[in-house]
Amino acid sequence: MNLKPLMSLAQAAGTSGLLCLRFTCKSLNLAHRVRAYEAAVVYLKTLDRFTLSNVFLGGRSMGARAAVALGRHLCVKKEVRVQGLLCVSFPLHPPGQTHAHVKRSEDLRALSHVPVLFVSGTADMMCQQKLLESVVDQMESPSSVHWVEGANHGLAVKGRTEESVLDEVNSQIITWILKHV
């Protein structure tokens, strides 16, 4: 939870007047992560201090897959209105196994009417650019992609500081959220 990219985004969100709940679920099991994420959302619904509105779900890597799966689930249940999904370094396929993108993109292609923002690196070995663009073309939901030039799966870019990359990523995410509120 105290990873620099998460703390940086939470700070940028707060500076923009947005409340950001962040948490970490270290399980490698996607279903477990989705349940943990849903438990956090259900908990927020019980708090009198907050009214859940304009909810954006997001995650990085497998957390992005969990956010999409939960977003799809919540849209079906209609318990919480999901305004948008943020997918940072969405792991469309394991390295060298591009065929896995078909299975890993099922929830994305099944979404309807929930805007999705992808933030990925052009050198991400888990998200081939052409494959993600093909998936985006197949999606019913309005989707956009911000490519970080030269970034790997961790969004590290040779020759750039981590702070400059985080500033770019955070700016894109906050601008996109504010556009969809």
Side-chain angles (χ1 to χ4, degrees):
M1 176 164 28
N2 292 322
L3 299 172
K4 190 169 184 177
L6 291 175
M7 294 184 341
S8 175
L9 179 57
Q11 183 177 1
T15 300
S16 299
L18 304 169
L19 175 65
C20 178
L21 168 69
R22 58 189 168 92
F23 71 96
T24 300
C25 177
K26 295 189 182 234
S27 171
L28 295 177
N29 181 292
L30 181 62
H32 177 76
R33 282 187 180 214
V34 173
R35 286 191 303 274
Y37 205 153
E38 183 173 24
V41 171
V42 168
Y43 173 72
L44 275 179
K45 284 178 54 177
T46 67
L47 298 177
D48 291 334
R49 290 178 40 190
F50 303 105
T51 301
L52 284 185
S53 63
N54 299 326
V55 174
F56 290 81
L57 303 175
R60 195 197 82 71
S61 194
M62 189 185 277
R65 287 183 65 201
V68 170
L70 178 58
R72 179 180 175 200
H73 175 74
L74 291 175
C75 288
V76 170
K77 288 175 70 175
K78 297 184 180 178
E79 290 180 5
V80 175
R81 186 167 187 278
V82 178
Q83 290 285 118
L85 296 166
L86 308 165
C87 299
V88 179
S89 295
F90 189 88
L92 193 56
H93 55 80
Q97 299 178 34
T98 56
H99 64 279
H101 84 280
V102 175
K103 177 77 173 149
R104 288 194 176 185
S105 63
E106 285 176 345
D107 282 328
L108 290 167
R109 287 181 277 111
L111 289 171
S112 66
H113 311 300
V114 178
V116 181
L117 172 64
F118 295 94
V119 177
S120 291
T122 59
D124 187 341
M125 299 302 287
M126 297 179 75
C127 188
Q128 190 179 76
Q129 199 168 353
K130 288 182 181 179
L131 287 178
L132 181 59
E133 289 170 354
S134 174
V135 168
V136 167
D137 287 344
Q138 296 169 29
M139 292 173 62
E140 288 183 38
S141 288
S143 305
S144 56
V145 183
H146 175 74
W147 293 105
V148 179
E149 189 62 40
N152 63 18
H153 190 67
L155 294 180
V157 180
K158 288 182 183 177
R160 285 185 65 186
T161 65
E162 182 180 26
E163 288 76 20
S164 75
V165 174
L166 291 176
D167 287 346
E168 175 185 341
V169 168
N170 293 344
S171 175
Q172 288 294 319
I173 291 172
I174 299 302
T175 299
W176 185 83
I177 289 173
L178 293 174
K179 176 182 169 187
H180 289 89
V181 171

